[in-house]
Amino acid sequence: MTVTWTSGYNIDEAVPFVEWGWKGQEQKRSPAGTLTFHRNSMCGSPARTVGWRDPGFIHTSFLKDLWPNVEYTYKLGHLLSNGSVVMSKQYSFKSPPFPGQESLQRIVIFGDMGKQERDGSNEYADYQPGSLMTTDTLVKDLDNIDAVFLIGDLPYANGYISQWDQFTSQVEPIASRVPFMIASGNHERTWENSGSIYNGLDSGGECGVPAETLYYVPAENRAKFWYAADYGMFHFCIGDTEHDWREGSEQYKFIEQCFASANRHKQPWLIFAAHRVLGYSSNDWYANEGSFEEPMGREHLQKLWQKYKVDMAFYGHVHNYERVCPIYQNQCVNKETSHYSGVVNGTIHVVVGGGGSHLSQFTSLNTRWSVFKDYDWGFVKLTAFNQSSLLFEYKKSKDGKVYDSFTISRDYKDVLACVHDGCEPTTLAN
């Protein structure tokens, strides 16, 4: 587990550490590294100009050799140069299950959260009116959540660096108790002439630096925000849609390797997630473009989803909820809508960008592959009961109730089964 926090202490003023151990048992200390970033790390205005504020110092500690399924407590600490120690309040987390372990495992996924003033005072751009609803609903149900994936567009700081502190404070009750994994969105990364595949100004000049510094993910290079993550029976492949994902690119090779590395006997639930919609969306601007996706999205990746039998693909960017049928090459390959059993034949694509930002309109066109749409704020919860049974639920942020759901029931042989463009080569020899 990694623990990250912010302070005003540089390394010449204090030594950062985490004091941690089994709940109620003797605690030990682990060191923390210290990073920061500067005005000249930003790529443009307002991040380099009126939006700049010194972020302080970001400390990250790695708590290693955890015993699976154990409740740990921890405190953040600083050993000051005068010998005194300052400590935070006590926090706690439950260590993850061993990869492949069969037990009840519950994952929440959503995008485009933002932040909001709890006292009702003016909010920058008044852009994220559902953010606190999502936060509070998740906090209330946190005992029934094991990990959270926020797949891009975190605070919408857009170059006003102080907004990051507001956001991290808002999600601290969640992120201090369960793994809080992120993906990179356009409002974290996109900036002209900065190596992003897009040349917009959406990050306000941040060009990914605050997100990459404040949030540790197990990427080989956090400036290229793609990575793999395991949680029990789940294997996650997280893409970075602000960098090239097309066939032949560095990221494409990673995505295929990530899919191929999944041991589906131990980790049957294979999940792809990224910020921009690389699959299918009935959003009005995608419909106006005629693509119903980010251009060149599924055209390059669908053969990988099909070959490696990816169960579900999640996206944000579009601020609503939509579930698509199991699909391949624009065709629904399974007529079921509420219970999938045996061989599913295709990947289920889900837009879940209603984490808090202003809502996005659907097109009036009838998209035949769309199973369920909702113009509201909400999130998805995946519950794996064992190697063969999974429950998918879409919940609204306003009340935490389920408004869309389905189940998957299957055996290992169904994952291995040959599907169109997803067959292992065979020989007539025996």
Side-chain angles (χ1 to χ4, degrees), residues 237-341:
C237 298
I238 308 301
D240 179 357
T241 53
E242 306 314 299
H243 287 93
D244 193 357
W245 61 81
R246 293 170 297 177
E247 188 169 4
S249 68
E250 182 182 0
Q251 181 170 195
Y252 184 93
K253 295 173 184 175
F254 160 78
I255 292 171
E256 179 161 26
Q257 188 277 330
C258 185
F259 292 161
S261 68
N263 182 337
R264 303 299 289 276
H265 179 244
K266 294 196 305 180
Q267 294 177 302
W269 310 113
L270 179 55
I271 309 296
F272 176 73
H275 181 64
R276 297 180 190 251
V277 180
L278 301 183
Y280 299 81
S281 169
S282 302
N283 177 60
D284 59 357
W285 80 71
Y286 282 143
N288 291 338
E289 292 172 354
S291 61
F292 298 97
E293 58 152 356
E294 210 61 44
M296 301 177 293
R298 59 181 179 267
E299 289 79 3
H300 286 263
L301 294 177
Q302 63 183 346
K303 67 174 106 177
L304 297 185
W305 297 325
Q306 189 74 358
K307 177 181 178 180
Y308 295 102
K309 304 180 180 72
V310 174
D311 292 304
M312 282 168 268
F314 290 92
Y315 315 100
H317 197 54
V318 172
H319 305 158
N320 55 38
Y321 168 77
E322 183 173 18
R323 171 164 66 99
V324 173
C325 61
I327 195 168
Y328 181 54
Q329 293 182 338
N330 304 335
Q331 301 297 316
C332 293
V333 293
N334 194 311
K335 294 181 180 179
E336 268 295 335
T337 58
S338 59
H339 178 68
Y340 302 101
S341 60

Side-chain angles (χ1 to χ4, degrees), residues 102-105 233 269 383-391:
E102 201 167 45
S103 59
L104 184 67
Q105 295 159 16
M233 295 177 286
W269 310 113
T383 302
F385 298 100
N386 50 47
Q387 305 276 4
S388 299
S389 300
L390 181 137
L391 171 64

Side-chain angles (χ1 to χ4, degrees), residues 122-406:
N122 290 338
E123 171 60 44
Y124 166 59
D126 193 23
Y127 200 70
Q128 309 102 40
S131 177
L132 282 176
M133 273 196 298
T134 301
T135 302
D136 293 345
T137 299
L138 292 177
V139 170
K140 288 176 186 175
D141 195 39
L142 208 52
D143 288 340
N144 299 306
I145 298 170
D146 296 309
V148 172
F149 283 79
L150 173 46
I151 52 175
D153 285 6
L154 281 65
Y156 293 89
N158 297 353
Y160 290 89
I161 307 304
S162 65
Q163 301 280 285
W164 279 95
D165 274 349
Q166 183 183 338
F167 173 78
T168 54
S169 177
Q170 180 174 310
V171 300
E172 181 185 309
I174 304 168
S176 61
R177 283 187 56 192
V178 300
F180 192 84
M181 309 298 290
I182 72 165
S184 180
N186 53 304
H187 286 280
E188 279 78 58
R189 179 63 182 85
T190 295
W191 191 254
E192 56 189 1
N193 196 31
S194 68
S196 172
I197 193 172
Y198 295 92
N199 261 328
L201 305 175
D202 295 352
S203 74
E206 294 178 10
C207 54
V209 173
E212 295 159 14
T213 310
L214 287 164
Y215 282 92
Y216 175 84
V217 296
E220 186 174 337
N221 176 0
R222 276 192 276 172
K224 298 173 180 177
F225 221 83
W226 54 78
Y227 63 93
D230 295 312
Y231 192 93
M233 295 177 286
F234 290 95
H235 184 68
F236 294 93
C237 298
I238 308 301
D240 179 357
T241 53
E242 306 314 299
H243 287 93
D244 193 357
W245 61 81
R246 293 170 297 177
E247 188 169 4
S249 68
E250 182 182 0
Q251 181 170 195
Y252 184 93
K253 295 173 184 175
F254 160 78
I255 292 171
E256 179 161 26
Q257 188 277 330
C258 185
F259 292 161
S261 68
N263 182 337
R264 303 299 289 276
H265 179 244
K266 294 196 305 180
Q267 294 177 302
W269 310 113
L270 179 55
I271 309 296
F272 176 73
H275 181 64
R276 297 180 190 251
V277 180
L278 301 183
Y280 299 81
S281 169
S282 302
N283 177 60
D284 59 357
W285 80 71
Y286 282 143
N288 291 338
E289 292 172 354
S291 61
F292 298 97
E293 58 152 356
E294 210 61 44
M296 301 177 293
R298 59 181 179 267
E299 289 79 3
H300 286 263
L301 294 177
Q302 63 183 346
K303 67 174 106 177
L304 297 185
W305 297 325
Q306 189 74 358
K307 177 181 178 180
Y308 295 102
K309 304 180 180 72
V310 174
D311 292 304
M312 282 168 268
F314 290 92
Y315 315 100
H317 197 54
V318 172
H319 305 158
N320 55 38
Y321 168 77
E322 183 173 18
R323 171 164 66 99
V324 173
C325 61
I327 195 168
Y328 181 54
Q329 293 182 338
N330 304 335
Q331 301 297 316
C332 293
V333 293
N334 194 311
K335 294 181 180 179
E336 268 295 335
T337 58
S338 59
H339 178 68
Y340 302 101
S341 60
V343 182
V344 177
N345 287 320
T347 299
I348 298 168
H349 294 261
V350 182
V351 174
V352 61
S357 191
H358 72 291
L359 294 171
S360 301
Q361 295 284 349
F362 290 102
T363 178
S364 59
L365 297 173
N366 179 29
T367 47
R368 63 184 182 273
W369 32 257
S370 184
V371 175
F372 191 98
K373 302 184 187 76
D374 189 41
Y375 180 78
D376 206 348
W377 295 290
F379 53 91
V380 163
K381 183 177 182 181
L382 302 177
T383 302
F385 298 100
N386 50 47
Q387 305 276 4
S388 299
S389 300
L390 181 137
L391 171 64
F392 173 107
E393 297 173 300
Y394 164 67
K395 298 185 175 188
K396 291 198 187 222
S397 298
K398 66 182 181 183
D399 56 16
K401 294 180 179 179
V402 178
Y403 287 80
D404 183 35
S405 66
F406 65 84

